[in-house]
Amino acid sequence: MKKRLLCFFLSLALVAAIIPIPFSAADSVESHIPASTLQYLMEKFPDGKYWNHPDGAANNPNGYSNKPCTHHENGNCTAYDGLCGCNLFDYAIQCHGFALKLAYECYGYSARSWKKVYSIDGIKAGCVVRINNDSHTIFITDVSGDTITYADCNIDHQCGIRWNAKISRSELKSKLYYMYVSPGAMLPAKPTVSCGTSYHQYDTISAVWKPVSDIDTYVVTLSYNGSQVRNFNTEKTSYVFEAQAAGNYSLTVAAKNSAGSSSTTVNIQVQAHDCASKNYWDVPNYTDWSHEGIDYAISNGLFNGTSETTFSPNEKMTRAMIATVLWRNASSPGASRDNPYQDVDNNSWYTSAVIWAYKSEVMSGVGQGLFAPNATLTREQIVTVLYRYALYKGVTPSGEASLSGYADGNKVSGWAQTAMQWAIANNILQGSVENGRTYLYPQDGATRAQVATILMRFLEKYLSAAA
């Protein structure tokens, strides 16, 4: 019996000697870049893009391009000389600079200050590893058993960015030259307001910050003129709000992880939006497409409000209104009191303007001795009137765009086609996209907001330039 047991244990020993012994768990600690941090890095430097800048452009380590630079297409950019498009970070280019940049994004300081070793022992996520006899650098993102995942760039000699590349521990060990050992704990959040610290009322303000490892939530505090108005926890790495009032805002983002707690405060100055339409409560805020045109119409004396506090931007524009607007723009010239229209009272607020429009051939009647002053002005009428007004001002309208690309281009009246083609060619009138098709809506009534915008484009961008 004893002899059989002895043979059994000798057999086990022989098998153990033949089968390779796997690496020790002590040699490799399971380690991962936190998912939120990895997502942040991959969005900042997308897979398949190029960590370079166009030839002649400034070094941009925070950016990327959609194609390789000319030098890298030939694979001969071996030194940063200012002409090659590869990016530079921490005095390093290409793969080495990219790996150092990723480490900096995670930890906030240079990996060159970390412990430098020449063994793979202790490798973990976040390490910067130099391989292939000092010819390539990779950034470790995950260590799981015998599989090591990493990110790098320039493996194609074109600064191409690559994520989720994998290598076995044994293969990496054979290629390792040296390694900067990750400090492990990442730094707390550092929010960065995307558009600076100076805004105007009604601006949308966006704050973003780097992800922090080992935490689930951030504490965001917003104050206005010293008083707290928001305090909440969020798992997101951004916060967007609209500045409803002018004044001093402060935004604080706090985070706590194994490295300790930290917070960053950004002070934001919001100025009042002082514009021509500020007294009209029904004018959309200045981010709306119509706001600039309405401001232009008011400040240039083209339109009046419908009351002291209303502009009525969605009210339809009438034929009498547009005649009056252009008459004012022409410096309110005197006109004969020979009134050709039965439906235009001699003492109306628009009488002089309508007679001037008739005499100057800017506008004509609707037939049978009528002008229809209160009829709604259509979109094809407004461009026709402006076309004629350009002629009145001594400018020959130029430019002709096809109407065939518009779903309702065939609905433009014959008498309005030339003016409509001109207006589109000069970006005075724009179509509306619905369900993937673009429409002109030539017979639709034009609102005061639409006419204000059309007039701004015409007077400022066409008539002034043409004159």
Side-chain angles (χ1 to χ4, degrees), residues 3 20 34 92 106 114 159 179 218 262 288 316 322 348 353:
K3 187 175 181 180
C106 288
W114 301 350
C159 278
M179 179 172 68
Y218 307 88
S262 177
D288 188 81
K316 299 296 184 182
I322 191 61
S348 295

Side-chain angles (χ1 to χ4, degrees), residues 332-347:
S332 305
S336 166
R337 300 306 294 177
D338 183 13
N339 182 356
Y341 298 115
Q342 303 173 23
D343 56 351
V344 174
D345 187 274
N346 286 330
N347 297 311

